[in-house]
Amino acid sequence: MAATDAPPILKLGIDDALAGLVLSTEAQWNQTEDDWRVFLHEGVVFGIRDGARLVATAALLPYSGNNAWISMVLVSGKHRRRGLATRLVDACLQTARQNGLTSWLDATPDGAAVYGPLGFTPTLQLRRLKLVKPARAEAPPTSSATLDALRMRDRRATGFDRTALLSAFAQRYGSRIVAANGAIALVRDGRTARHIGPLFADDAAAALALVDAIVRSETSPLLLDAVASQGAFLDGLTSAGWTVERPFQRMRFGPATVTGEEMPFAVAGPEFG
């Protein structure tokens, strides 16, 4: 196919949330329609259509301090190996450069092999863990945790102001913020599993105790994206029955702009950072 025959890259709108959900569901990802609406409302989502059907996407979600997250890089099965993902990531990077943004992403091992030659620098590593729960639960732990407390801890750890993102999470049906003994986390719905994160704590013991309290009050499968360098936390999770599903490599394109004051124990998800 000649370059002039390549399907155009389009900017998607809020009405494309369901079409995006079809793509992420095909890939067996955990995003919901509400997640897609965050990207479409707060960021820029590029897409490629085959006729009326959306067949590829990539999103750029801006944060504070001239930073942005690249994610939702998806291509429908029959349209892979045509360079669509590369074109869409290039569109994200071009938009980021035009706006003076440093770009971040969390890549699978295969993705990291692609993004490295493009100029992305590896930073920390993540491990996605899953726990399948029986269909019974204790009463949720009492907690006076607030969105403002979570937002402040999130900024201290990431260096980003993510008020819009955390507010969108917290306002959803079924979401809750839980805190105890110097640890705080957000729990929200996903398409197939509930997600714990971000999670911050003074130490691994407090982080594990909070996860245990959350687990005992949940009935659905649970996902958690742990920071790999938090070894005691990871060991405690696997000892409690959590299984590692896959690794992610966090990568940065552009100059470092922020330094967190603490290391999180779990992040909001590879699509959000």
Side-chain angles (χ1 to χ4, degrees), residues 180-230:
N181 302 316
I184 187 168
L186 186 142
V187 188
R188 70 182 195 274
D189 280 345
R191 185 181 62 85
T192 62
R194 298 266 284 166
H195 190 276
I196 300 174
L199 188 159
F200 312 101
D202 294 341
D203 52 49
L208 288 167
L210 187 63
V211 169
D212 180 65
I214 292 169
V215 165
R216 287 187 279 107
S217 63
E218 293 282 342
T219 60
S220 300
L222 293 164
L223 292 175
L224 183 152
D225 295 298
V227 175
S229 61
Q230 298 282 21

Side-chain angles (χ1 to χ4, degrees), residues 18-246:
L18 279 174
L21 181 61
V22 170
L23 274 180
S24 55
T25 299
E26 177 190 335
Q28 299 183 358
W29 290 6
N30 196 46
Q31 285 80 24
T32 65
E33 183 180 348
D34 284 336
D35 290 326
W36 276 98
R37 291 183 180 278
V38 169
F39 291 106
L40 291 161
H41 186 267
E42 301 292 338
V44 179
V45 183
F46 295 103
I48 293 174
R49 300 186 192 277
D50 183 357
R53 182 189 173 204
L54 184 65
V55 297
T57 59
L60 182 73
L61 185 64
Y63 290 142
S64 66
N66 298 325
N67 293 277
W69 218 264
I70 294 175
S71 59
M72 308 313 290
V73 181
L74 287 157
V75 180
S76 183
K78 294 182 179 179
H79 294 79
R80 292 173 188 162
R81 304 187 186 281
R82 302 184 190 181
L84 302 186
T86 299
R87 291 180 60 207
L88 289 166
V89 171
D90 284 344
C92 290
L93 288 174
Q94 181 178 354
T95 300
R97 283 193 293 266
Q98 289 172 347
N99 290 278
L101 303 176
T102 290
S103 298
W104 301 74
L105 55 77
D106 289 332
T108 63
D110 287 344
V114 174
Y115 297 130
L118 294 178
F120 281 86
T121 301
T123 58
L124 59 80
Q125 292 190 356
L126 306 172
R127 298 289 183 269
R128 166 154 287 192
L129 295 99
K130 185 172 185 178
L131 181 69
V132 178
K133 278 283 296 170
R136 66 177 184 274
E138 300 176 4
T142 57
S143 174
S144 60
T146 64
L147 174 61
D148 192 52
L150 179 69
R151 180 190 62 79
M152 292 176 63
R153 195 76 182 257
D154 184 75
R155 180 156 193 169
R156 195 168 82 193
T158 66
F160 303 146
D161 183 351
R162 303 197 296 181
T163 299
L165 176 69
L166 297 176
S167 297
F169 286 163
Q171 291 167 7
R172 295 179 189 175
Y173 176 80
S175 292
R176 56 195 179 106
I177 300 170
V178 185
N181 302 316
I184 187 168
L186 186 142
V187 188
R188 70 182 195 274
D189 280 345
R191 185 181 62 85
T192 62
R194 298 266 284 166
H195 190 276
I196 300 174
L199 188 159
F200 312 101
D202 294 341
D203 52 49
L208 288 167
L210 187 63
V211 169
D212 180 65
I214 292 169
V215 165
R216 287 187 279 107
S217 63
E218 293 282 342
T219 60
S220 300
L222 293 164
L223 292 175
L224 183 152
D225 295 298
V227 175
S229 61
Q230 298 282 21
F233 180 60
L234 268 172
D235 290 344
L237 291 175
T238 55
S239 296
W242 290 77
T243 58
V244 177
E245 284 204 323
R246 66 180 66 89

Side-chain angles (χ1 to χ4, degrees), residues 247-259:
F248 289 99
Q249 175 67 64
R250 181 157 295 180
M251 308 183 82
R252 185 186 72 243
F253 186 97
T257 61
V258 293
T259 301

